[in-house]
């Protein structure tokens, strides 16, 4: 495992390859590694801790491997250059739609990449919940539209972002 805060603010770190033998990435393990541009998460990883990669401002994308069963709140929060979060096609717990992280049945919008291009986002009508910190630090996102019923909104879902929210019935 990679322990909590193991590489906290390690600004000289530019890329990481987490080997298949690692099963968990602790809370804040790579928090605020500002030069980190590339991560490869090994297939053995099953859990990613709270804020594990938060505020890695140069990180542009990540791929969640098939074996990941748990991603804690704000694992990629504040990654202002991140444009997409991808998920392995065989992952039984998570999925991505156009770079946005959802649970597998797409009822929970888990994380919207803070650096994703576009001022508008339409939340699919399958979504019944928005995760904690899901849209945090999405400064360029100005309009969000819900299709169908408004979902349950998690704590700090829109921290440091202020989109106008619309609902289409």
């Amino acid at each position: 495992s990679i322990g909590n805060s193991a590489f906290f603010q390690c600004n000289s770190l530019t890329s990481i390859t987490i080997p298949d033998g690692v099963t968990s990435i602790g809370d804040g393990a790579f928090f605020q590694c500002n030069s980190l541009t590339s991560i490869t998460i090994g297939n053995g990883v099953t859990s990613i801790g709270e804020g594990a990669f938060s505020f890695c401002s140069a990180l542009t994308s990540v791929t969640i491997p098939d074996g990941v069963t748990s991603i804690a709140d704000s694992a990629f929060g504040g990654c202002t250059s991140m444009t997409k979060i991808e998920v392995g096609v065989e992952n039984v717990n998570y999925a991505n739609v156009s770079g946005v992280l959802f649970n597998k049945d797409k009822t929970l919008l888990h994380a919207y990449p803070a650096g994703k291009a576009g001022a508008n986002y339409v939340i699919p009508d399958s979504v019944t919940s928005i995760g904690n910190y899901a849209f945090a630090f999405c400064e360029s996102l100005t309009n969000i539209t819900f299709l169908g019923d408004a979902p349950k909104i998690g704590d700090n879902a829109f921290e440091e972002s202020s989109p106008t929210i619309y609902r289409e019935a």
Side-chain angles (χ1 to χ4, degrees), residues 29-152:
F30 296 93
F31 185 91
Q32 211 169 26
C33 292
N34 293 324
S35 299
L36 185 61
T37 59
S38 169
I39 58 172
T40 302
I41 300 174
N43 289 325
V45 172
T46 59
S47 67
I48 299 173
E50 184 172 343
F53 297 94
S54 286
F55 299 101
C56 292
S57 58
L59 191 59
T60 59
S61 68
V62 66
T63 299
I64 308 299
D66 293 337
V68 172
T69 58
S70 172
I71 302 172
D73 291 342
S74 200
F76 305 100
C79 294
T80 54
S81 295
M82 185 170 288
T83 59
K84 63 182 175 179
I85 301 170
E86 296 182 339
V87 178
V89 294
E90 299 296 321
N91 190 297
V92 297
N93 292 302
Y94 297 97
N96 71 288
V97 176
S98 300
V100 179
L101 181 63
F102 292 86
N103 65 347
K104 191 65 171 185
D105 61 4
K106 298 176 189 78
T107 58
L108 168 67
L109 190 154
H110 192 66
Y112 185 94
K116 187 170 174 58
N120 303 304
Y121 182 66
V122 177
I123 295 176
D125 60 0
S126 62
V127 172
T128 58
S129 298
I130 295 178
N132 298 338
Y133 301 96
F135 289 96
F137 302 94
C138 294
E139 295 174 1
S140 65
L141 188 61
T142 58
N143 298 302
I144 294 176
T145 302
F146 297 112
L147 298 179
D149 294 333
K152 177 184 175 230

Side-chain angles (χ1 to χ4, degrees), residues 15-33:
S15 69
I16 312 163
T17 298
I18 298 170
D20 291 344
V22 172
T23 59
S24 67
I25 300 170
D27 296 347
F30 296 93
F31 185 91
Q32 211 169 26
C33 292

